[in-house]
Each structure stands twice: as structure tokens, then as C-alpha cells.
Amino acid sequence: MECPRCASTHIRKNGKKSSKQNYICAHCGRQFIDSDEQQGYPEAMKKECL
Ligand SMILES: [Zn+2]
């Protein structure tokens, strides 16, 4: 896992937000949610892209 802003892999856990693991980048301080659960797009979104 790496920071979406600075691509640093120096990530720390930062509690949970609505049952999802929250992380914080120790390098730039950017907070983000574990993206492993959010792979792929919902069907409705795919249709809009086409
Ligand atoms: Zn960062």
C-alpha cells in the first residue's frame, strides 16, 4: 500500500471510519481509506462511461 498523494509506503493505521480501515501517511500526513475494498466500479458507473 502506498500514499495516493506522495506514493510513500510509510503508512500508519489511523483508526477506523464507518467500519473501514483508515490510514495516514507518515510522510505527508494525507489520510485515506484502504482501497483494497473498492476495486472495480459499480455497474451504473460502467454504463455511464460507455
Ligand atoms: Zn503521503
Side-chain angles (χ1 to χ4, degrees), residues 6 18-19 23 28 30-31:
C6 71
S18 49
S19 83
Y23 293 92
C28 71
R30 166 72 182 255
Q31 292 183 48

Side-chain angles (χ1 to χ4, degrees), residues 1 8-9 11 16-18 21 23-24 26 35-37 43 47:
M1 185 182 308
S8 169
T9 52
I11 305 300
K16 285 197 170 184
K17 236 176 193 176
S18 49
Q21 182 64 57
Y23 293 92
I24 184 168
S35 59
D36 285 348
E37 302 176 34
E43 286 301 313
K47 284 178 183 171

